[in-house]
Amino acid sequence: MKDNKKLFRQMLVFGTICLILLLAFNTMVIPFMKDSQVKETNYSFFLSQIDEDNVQKVQIEDTLIKFETKKDDGTTQIYSTIRLDDPDLVSRLYSHENIDFTGNIATVSPFAEFVVSWILPLVFMIVIWNVLMKGITKKMGGNSMSFGKSSAKIYVKAQTGKTFNDVAGQDEAKEALVEIVDFLHNPEKYAEIGANLPKGALLVGPPGTGKTLLAQAVAGEADVPFFSISGSEFVEMFVGMGAAKVRDLFKQANEKAPCIVFIDEIDTIGKKRDGQISGNDEREQTLNQLLTEMDGFDGKKGVVILGATNRPESLDPALLRPGRFDRRIPAELPDLSGRESILKVHAKKIKTENNIDYNAVARATAGASGAELANIINESALRAVRDGRNAVSQADIEESVEVVIAGYERKNAVISQKEKEIIAYHEIGHALVASMQKASAPVHKITIIPRTSGALGYTMQIDEGEKFLMSKEEAFAKIATLTGGRSAEELIFNTCTSGASNDIEQATKLARAMITHYGMSERFDMVALETVNNKYLGGDSSLACSEETATQIDEEVNNIIKSAHEKARRILSENSEKLHELARFLLEKETITGEEFMNILNKKSLSSV
Ligand code: ADP
Ligand code: MG
Ligand code: ZN
């Protein structure tokens, strides 16, 4: 019904446009055509032309006089002039008997006038109508006769070309999906024991962890038809079209069973129906249709629905209840071994030297997603090509890690010697504070070459192995390390610079988290003071406490940072000689490794004993 209403409204709009066009043509184009042939002149010229017997036609209007002249060479010209109050005019015209002053001067031929005022607008209208209809039917998918046909693509094995071997690290997710593939191959095995297989499985996890890739791998492995559609494809211009698409998709799937239906980014249609007044009718209908369809089909027939999303918390609970997407398959950020194997999978596609230490790279990329790791490998290949080599080296990969973290090197950035000095002391400040605390990860690399991300230098720390927990001591050591840069500036130059802004941001965030999430403060004990909103998308949090408590939290954060800063300053002033020596060394070399750093640190302390 609503479709028809919409269509009716469209027709109305179209009709109005046509009318306006017609009017425009008749009031503007035709007079313009006429005027373009008429020359304006003055009255005395008119009189002189009459006397010279050049005038052959005259048309007298209310305020104008139009006249047509014919020269001896046969050319005619139409003029117009102002009509003056001239009582002699008629007798003057009459005296030149060859002048026809009863007639009409037609400046445009009647045929041309007819074409312009009627045929041309009609042609225009037909063209516009066609364009409009094409746009509508395109949005509806297919030609105008098949409104609401789903545009799900059917994948078969050869087309995705992906198998479980292409997915590294996601072992739990793979296991869960293997079971589904097995069900599609031998449904009897499950029917015998009376088990119902899940109708739907939802892949959840942060962006870039391989959810779409996993689904494609299932398509490659399953050997059954695989329908793939993205949630946004259901969102339509017309209310009801999305629902029709869902219906059509499931009809197709039922015909092709056993098969898999994959809905990517399902949160676009599966959002909670939260009764907003300006609620999205279309989306709600689509979701309702999806819920109905998922209930409607026979679980034993072998249609399995996969969904993928990185906002599971925003999904409608009805979608998640048993019998619909009753199984959740997490695709989390890869751990150390996961990262290593993802790096290896992607490194297979490029030429590398033989002695690449993937473990070292994996350790340096804690928190990176599969997509980022794939990007790192690709960057390293690009770097090798840029340098004219035909295989990727360890250095290439390590440099790309930094490119992905901090951007490209700005080799020709001009930084004054004074500023360079400050940056060097700042970075050594971080590194020294880090290395002087037991609970801190070892220093891997220090550099003062600026990067395109805006970093003027940085200190890279890498843990020995994978870390799953962070103790209070480690958190505090980290904050102290972050304040180490500013502390060095204060100590050596007796000033502070804006270079510490990023350190300050990170330190504050961590100190806040210690209090509000990790329960690491005495005052609040184990009370959760903030709730995380989007776990997988940045994890912004909102306060869940009174204003008074918020004030107290700020105080606590302040205390933690102050004492960490204090500690960093103490460490640096106790080791000021090493600070000088290391900073000088860094200034000279611009980039030093953790090993070089430790050598100088230890040599010094040995000689001073
Ligand atoms: P999303 O989870 O956001 O859907 P994708 O599946 O689109 O992420 O992953 C993007 C790319 O990242 C993939 O094409 C693949 O190259 C790479 N990738 C992500 N995770 C993995 C993984 N576990 N193993 C191998 N490659 C991966
Ligand atoms: Mg995806
Ligand atoms: Zn810093």
Side-chain angles (χ1 to χ4, degrees), residues 426-427 430 457-458 481-482 484-486 489 499-503:
H426 178 109
E427 293 309 328
H430 284 308
Y458 56 87
T481 304
L482 284 165
R486 163 64 64 84
E489 291 172 19
S501 63
N502 184 260
D503 301 333

Side-chain angles (χ1 to χ4, degrees), residues 162 164-170 174 205-216 262 264-265 308-310 331-332 334 338 341-343 345-346 349 369-375:
K162 298 268 195 298
F164 281 140
N165 289 333
D166 292 308
V167 191
Q170 301 289 1
K174 271 198 266 184
T209 46
K211 297 180 295 297
T212 308
L213 182 69
L214 273 164
Q216 288 170 343
F262 175 53
D264 208 354
E265 314 292 352
T309 178
N310 35 37
E332 295 289 347
S341 48
I342 291 174
L343 285 168
V345 162
H346 287 279
K349 298 175 200 158
S369 69
E372 281 165 323
L373 294 170
N375 188 18

Side-chain angles (χ1 to χ4, degrees), residues 317-607:
L319 206 54
L320 300 173
R321 74 138 168 80
R324 296 201 180 112
F325 286 108
D326 44 10
R327 191 174 276 202
R328 235 180 222 238
I329 303 180
E332 295 289 347
L333 289 173
D335 58 8
L336 180 59
S337 68
R339 289 197 298 276
E340 192 174 337
S341 48
I342 291 174
L343 285 168
K344 282 182 182 159
V345 162
H346 287 279
K348 260 189 219 143
K349 298 175 200 158
I350 60 171
K351 273 199 197 129
T352 59
E353 288 172 2
N354 300 329
N355 54 351
I356 305 270
D357 182 0
Y358 291 107
N359 186 272
V361 182
R363 274 194 288 128
T365 48
S369 69
E372 281 165 323
L373 294 170
N375 188 18
I376 284 172
I377 293 292
N378 191 49
E379 275 292 336
S380 66
L382 292 177
R383 189 178 126 101
V385 173
R386 224 177 285 138
D387 291 1
R389 279 175 282 111
N390 57 3
V392 168
S393 69
Q394 180 84 19
D396 286 330
I397 302 183
E398 284 184 0
E399 170 60 25
S400 342
V401 171
E402 286 173 50
V403 165
V404 171
I405 293 172
Y408 290 96
E409 285 183 354
R410 283 166 54 199
K411 288 220 180 71
N412 39 12
V414 183
I415 295 174
S416 72
Q417 188 59 28
K418 180 75 191 162
E419 287 198 323
K420 248 189 186 159
E421 240 169 69
I422 296 178
I423 296 165
Y425 275 98
H426 178 109
E427 293 309 328
I428 295 294
H430 284 308
L432 251 182
V433 174
S435 58
M436 288 293 165
Q437 297 178 102
K438 272 199 208 74
S440 189
V443 174
H444 178 74
K445 181 179 175 178
I446 311 166
T447 171
I448 54 169
I449 298 173
R451 296 267 168 180
T452 45
S453 68
L456 295 167
Y458 56 87
T459 304
M460 220 171 145
Q461 288 171 266
I462 297 180
D463 275 306
E464 293 293 345
E466 181 82 339
K467 280 217 117 118
F468 298 99
L469 295 174
M470 180 165 61
S471 68
K472 187 176 173 181
E473 292 70 37
E474 282 164 348
F476 187 75
K478 204 165 175 184
I479 297 174
T481 304
L482 284 165
T483 59
R486 163 64 64 84
S487 304
E489 291 172 19
E490 289 170 338
L491 220 64
I492 306 297
F493 301 97
N494 210 1
T495 178
C496 44
T497 70
S498 59
S501 63
N502 184 260
D503 301 333
I504 291 170
E505 199 180 315
Q506 284 188 46
T508 311
K509 210 167 168 186
L510 181 54
R512 238 194 137 69
M514 280 174 76
I515 296 161
T516 59
H517 294 311
Y518 306 148
M520 287 178 181
S521 71
E522 252 144 52
R523 189 188 281 185
F524 298 111
D525 207 20
M526 285 179 60
V527 176
L529 299 168
E530 274 182 356
T531 48
V532 177
N533 298 335
N534 278 323
K535 189 174 156 221
Y536 293 127
L537 298 174
D540 52 330
S541 44
S542 45
L543 275 179
C545 60
S546 71
E547 258 171 57
E548 234 165 88
T549 317
T551 318
Q552 290 173 358
I553 293 173
D554 292 338
E555 264 168 42
E556 285 287 286
V557 171
N558 209 330
N559 288 341
I560 291 182
I561 300 221
K562 264 197 181 135
S563 65
H565 192 170
E566 201 53 52
K567 186 178 182 188
R569 252 195 306 233
R570 209 180 54 239
I571 291 176
L572 289 180
S573 54
E574 279 168 9
N575 298 282
S576 63
E577 254 173 56
K578 283 169 204 159
L579 177 60
H580 282 299
E581 188 182 358
L582 283 161
R584 251 173 273 135
F585 185 63
L586 179 61
L587 257 175
E588 185 192 329
K589 295 257 177 174
E590 296 209 322
T591 300
I592 63 176
T593 64
E595 224 170 302
E596 288 170 316
F597 174 81
M598 289 315 286
N599 280 344
I600 294 182
L601 199 60
N602 292 335
K603 180 189 76 190
K604 247 318 206 216
S605 55
L606 280 181
S607 64

